[in-house]
């Protein structure tokens, strides 16, 4: 069931989303050669504490996972697509890092992700990250009253495929509200004009995930959480929480 949020609820979700935006900015600023993923997790955790917010990631235990998630960020490096568990791994020059983060404040959740390169970037990685951001922007542009879920999916997928990138099947965006994952699902590829109509008050996480090698294959790492590309190519992930409103899409996790 899809819950339509009131305008007041959307304002409250914006407050949660701004905690997310501040944390992702702080993590990106702290990321450097030699910094560990656990140190980045602590940076994000401190933003939560300072805001009086909590983490919907920490302790999250969906049916596919062997253990509860042990951190407040997902930190996915190079060939890791999403759901990477922060470890003592220290970032190296040229690493491509994707950080996914959520915050719960006042009973509402915000969810967002960024990808960036540490140190000297490879041209191919810059293009991959820029395409993920363009795909996200295209999805947000399609998130208007009167369109359908398929219009968002088509907009995202068109940008990804036109650039020659793969899209991991079965993973995409979702509704956001009192919980981190709510209805409806928002695929990263689809047919325009299909699926649920978009209405004022719907709040969606739109999140392109791109595989640099152009194939769609992925597998779960031994930790049961991290998804990695089958071909060993690098991946990028971008995400915003977006409210559908009569005056157009409102990005609640804007940084």
């Amino acid at each position: 069931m899809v819950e339509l949020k009131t305008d007041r609820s959307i304002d409250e979700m914006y407050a949660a989303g701004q905690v997310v935006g501040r944390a992702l900015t702080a993590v990106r600023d702290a990321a450097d050669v030699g910094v560990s993923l656990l140190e980045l997790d602590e940076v994000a955790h401190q933003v939560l504490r300072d805001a009086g917010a909590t983490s919907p990631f920490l302790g999250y235990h969906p049916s596919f996972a062997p253990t509860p998630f042990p951190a407040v960020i997902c930190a996915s490096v190079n060939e890791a697509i999403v759901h990477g568990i922060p470890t003592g791994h220290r970032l190296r020059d040229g690493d491509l890092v994707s950080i996914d983060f959520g915050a719960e404040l006042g009973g509402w959740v915000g969810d967002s992700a960024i990808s960036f390169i540490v140190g000297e970037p490879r041209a191919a990685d810059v293009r991959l990250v820029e395409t993920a951001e363009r795909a996200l922007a295209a999805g947000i542009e399609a998130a208007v009253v009167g369109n359908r879920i398929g219009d968002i999916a088509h907009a995202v997928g068109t940008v990804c495929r036109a650039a020659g990138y793969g899209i991991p099947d079965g993973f995409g965006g979702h509704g956001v509200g009192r919980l981190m994952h709510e209805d409806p699902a928002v695929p990263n590829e689809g047919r325009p004009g299909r699926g649920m109509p978009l209405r004022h008050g719907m709040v969606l996480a739109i999140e392109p995930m791109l595989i640099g090698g152009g194939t769609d294959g992925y597998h779960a790492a031994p930790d049961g959480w991290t998804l990695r590309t089958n071909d060993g190519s690098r991946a990028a992930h971008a995400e915003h929480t977006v409210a559908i409103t009569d005056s157009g899409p409102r990005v609640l996790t804007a940084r």
Side-chain angles (χ1 to χ4, degrees):
M1 183 179 71
V2 175
E3 176 193 2
L4 298 179
K5 279 70 175 180
T6 65
D7 292 346
R8 179 177 176 179
S9 295
I10 290 172
D11 287 341
E12 292 173 348
M13 291 191 71
Y14 179 81
Q18 292 309 287
V19 177
V20 176
R22 290 198 299 273
L24 288 175
T25 298
V27 168
R28 182 173 56 193
D29 289 347
D32 202 353
V33 175
V35 175
S36 77
L37 300 181
L38 283 173
E39 289 169 338
L40 296 183
D41 186 69
E42 177 54 30
V43 168
H45 210 155
Q46 189 59 52
V47 174
L48 287 175
R49 296 187 194 102
D50 291 344
T54 58
S55 171
F57 287 23
L58 184 63
Y60 180 58
H61 196 180
S63 59
F64 68 81
T67 58
F69 196 77
V72 303
I73 63 170
C74 294
S76 305
V77 181
N78 295 333
E79 77 280 1
I81 306 168
V82 287
H83 302 164
I85 295 175
T87 65
H89 170 82
R90 296 193 176 275
L91 295 172
R92 303 182 178 94
D93 188 49
D95 275 348
L96 195 167
V97 183
S98 297
I99 302 293
D100 194 354
F101 177 80
E104 182 176 345
L105 183 68
W108 296 104
V109 173
D111 186 12
S112 184
I114 56 172
S115 293
F116 55 85
I117 300 151
V118 174
E120 187 66 26
R122 304 179 186 181
D125 290 344
V126 171
R127 179 173 176 266
L128 181 61
V129 172
E130 288 178 346
T131 304
E133 293 291 344
R134 285 196 297 110
L136 175 58
I140 293 171
E141 186 177 358
V144 296
V145 173
N147 272 359
R148 293 176 176 266
I149 292 290
D151 294 303
I152 298 175
H154 178 72
V156 170
T158 296
V159 172
C160 298
R161 294 300 189 191
Y165 296 129
I167 300 172
D169 183 50
F171 286 87
H174 48 87
V176 185
R178 294 288 184 183
L179 301 175
M180 180 169 56
H181 292 131
E182 296 184 352
D183 291 332
V186 186
N188 284 328
E189 196 166 28
R191 297 175 63 183
R194 298 296 185 93
M196 181 178 294
L198 302 180
R199 298 173 58 191
H200 179 90
M202 292 174 69
V203 179
L204 307 174
I206 301 172
E207 51 177 323
M209 305 167 194
L210 284 64
I211 296 176
T215 63
D216 296 351
Y218 63 90
H219 61 277
D223 63 25
W225 275 100
T226 309
L227 300 184
R228 299 189 181 277
T229 62
N230 282 350
D231 61 9
S233 66
R234 294 187 169 194
H237 178 204
E239 177 186 17
H240 271 309
T241 298
V242 181
I244 312 299
T245 78
D246 289 330
S247 56
R250 181 181 180 188
V251 179
L252 305 182
T253 48
R255 295 181 289 275

